Amino acid sequence: MDLTPDQAALAVERHDCPNCDAPAGSACRTRGGKTAAKYHTSRFVLVPALREELEIPVPADRLPGRAWKQGPALAVAPAPRTERPVRIGYARTSTARQELASQLEALHRAECHKTFKEQISTRIKVRPELEKALALARQFKEAAPETPVIFTVHELKRLARNAAELMTLSAELQAGGIQLELLTGPLTGIYDPNGMGAMFFAVLAVAGQIERNYIREKTLEGQVTAAAKGNHGGRPKVIDDDMLTFAVALKDKGVPVPEIAKKLVIKTGKNAGRNPSVASLYRAFAEAEEAEADDGLPLRPKPVRIRRPGDPLTPEEIDLRERLQAQPHPNTEISRMVVLGTPQNP
């Protein structure tokens, strides 16, 4: 800001406030009827030299926080009309590993008055910095309706994730009379959301959705081709099928899981040559049981237990023996009938 705080305050107070209706010559006021601590954005953006400032504080001699009093009446200065548009820039990346520098440099070359940036996943619907950028663009347009306000982005995909979001955004731009500028891509240019621009926004949304569908289809085709060659992607399994079969056999014999983990050795990956963790082994057992339950078929043959003389009976074997002993033998019933003289069928 080239102006001193007092000069900035005097320049702002030459205009009526569109927000709180404070007349020229007076500081802004709050809804509670007190002198505001800073001038409203819609008021100080009427001063070209202050449009790039985030806030303009009210001087102490206006007694901010005290009951508001009207200052000396001044002639209202008309808002200056300028052909130079106000540009609001927005830059976004999905992850912290992607760089923002190229987008910010392009927005700087486009002479954006304000630039908002954020690194946020495409899965998140609410993007705070995008909302702030749109809100500021609306404030500029409300304060100076005759001044063109342009919302500038590096490329189309920085705006929305799908056609529905892009249509919602275009409706907001149309309602506020805000233009859209794309700095790169086949649709580079500035588009007015009114008139023929409304049709362009609709086509823009459909084109964006078609592009995303095309990328998704090519990705799926690549995954299918790679799978046919034996490359299923992702990280290699810590516990492969051979290790799992061996581990299950040990578990069925009653070997504790920590002892089983010590007998296994990882074959591939950065942990090759080490023993898998007990947690990994428990997860492998759980996944195997889920797979067995899903298809209804045993994942592997159940091991056969060969009983040797002197081995104790299991609870199931004891129960079976008791049930068999409780059943009467057929020959016993026939002998009883002969003794009692029951006639037999010839």
Side-chain angles (χ1 to χ4, degrees):
M1 181 173 63
D2 297 331
L3 303 177
T4 65
D6 288 339
Q7 290 174 338
L10 292 174
V12 172
E13 291 182 4
R14 291 179 59 202
H15 304 272
D16 292 337
C17 181
N19 193 316
C20 64
D21 296 328
S26 302
C28 288
R29 55 186 170 188
T30 65
R31 294 181 179 178
K34 296 181 179 180
T35 303
K38 56 185 179 181
Y39 295 103
H40 292 111
T41 303
S42 57
R43 188 180 190 183
F44 71 74
V45 296
L46 298 175
V47 182
L50 302 177
R51 285 181 176 174
E52 297 185 9
E53 301 299 320
L54 293 177
E55 59 183 38
I56 303 296
V58 172
D61 59 2
R62 272 70 160 180
L63 304 177
R66 304 286 183 86
W68 182 85
K69 294 181 180 180
Q70 184 171 344
L74 296 178
V76 178
R81 297 187 62 177
T82 174
E83 296 300 326
R84 185 182 177 219
V86 175
R87 278 183 167 84
I88 306 298
Y90 174 71
R92 179 188 64 82
T93 61
S94 299
T95 63
R97 290 178 295 180
Q98 297 175 340
E99 56 89 19
L100 275 168
S102 59
Q103 296 184 50
L104 296 176
E105 177 62 24
L107 294 173
H108 176 72
R109 290 197 303 267
E111 299 182 349
C112 292
H113 291 77
K114 301 281 186 186
T115 298
F116 295 81
K117 61 181 180 178
E118 59 187 342
Q119 292 175 325
I120 190 169
S121 172
T122 54
R123 298 185 179 90
I124 300 177
K125 294 182 179 180
V126 179
R127 286 172 282 177
E129 295 302 313
L130 175 61
E131 297 298 329
K132 292 179 182 178
L134 293 173
L136 182 59
R138 287 191 293 266
Q139 289 180 354
F140 271 116
K141 194 63 179 177
E142 291 172 359
E146 301 299 326
T147 301
V149 177
I150 303 175
F151 190 76
T152 306
V153 293
H154 187 251
E155 52 189 335
L156 179 62
K157 66 182 181 180
R158 302 302 169 190
L159 284 177
R161 304 174 301 168
N162 50 47
E165 288 188 358
L166 192 56
M167 291 298 292
T168 301
L169 178 62
S170 67
E172 292 184 17
L173 296 177
Q174 285 177 313
I178 303 168
Q179 301 177 30
L180 173 65
E181 181 179 24
L182 304 177
L183 298 180
T184 61
L187 300 173
T188 301
I190 301 176
Y191 301 94
D192 193 327
N194 299 313
M196 295 299 295
M199 182 182 298
F200 167 78
F201 272 80
V203 174
L204 205 62
V206 174
Q209 187 63 42
I210 291 174
E211 180 183 4
R212 288 179 177 83
N213 291 340
Y214 175 76
I215 294 174
R216 180 176 181 276
E217 289 176 1
K218 297 299 291 184
T219 302
L220 294 176
E221 290 177 3
Q223 292 175 351
V224 172
T225 303
K229 296 179 181 180
N231 182 11
H232 297 280
R235 297 168 55 189
K237 291 183 178 181
V238 174
I239 301 176
D240 57 23
D241 294 338
D242 293 337
M243 295 170 62
L244 180 59
T245 302
F246 179 62
V248 170
L250 294 178
K251 182 182 177 184
D252 291 337
K253 290 182 180 180
V255 180
V257 174
E259 295 297 327
I260 298 175
K262 295 178 181 179
K263 297 179 182 294
L264 302 178
V265 179
I266 301 173
K267 299 177 182 178
T268 59
K270 65 179 181 180
N271 294 322
R274 299 182 182 180
N275 304 119
S277 66
V278 176
S280 298
L281 194 53
Y282 273 118
R283 283 195 298 268
F285 286 144
E287 291 173 359
E289 292 176 359
E290 290 178 1
E292 181 178 350
D294 289 341
D295 57 22
L297 299 175
L299 184 65
R300 59 196 177 278
K302 293 293 184 181
V304 178
R305 178 176 178 271
I306 301 176
R307 185 175 178 277
R308 296 178 177 84
D311 287 350
L313 297 177
T314 64
E316 292 79 6
E317 291 172 341
I318 295 174
D319 180 66
L320 176 61
R321 183 184 64 179
E322 292 177 352
R323 286 190 286 107
L324 291 175
Q325 291 176 349
Q327 295 179 359
H329 196 279
N331 293 339
T332 303
E333 182 65 20
I334 294 174
S335 301
R336 187 179 67 81
M337 294 172 63
V338 171
V339 172
L340 296 176
T342 304
Q344 305 295 318
N345 294 329

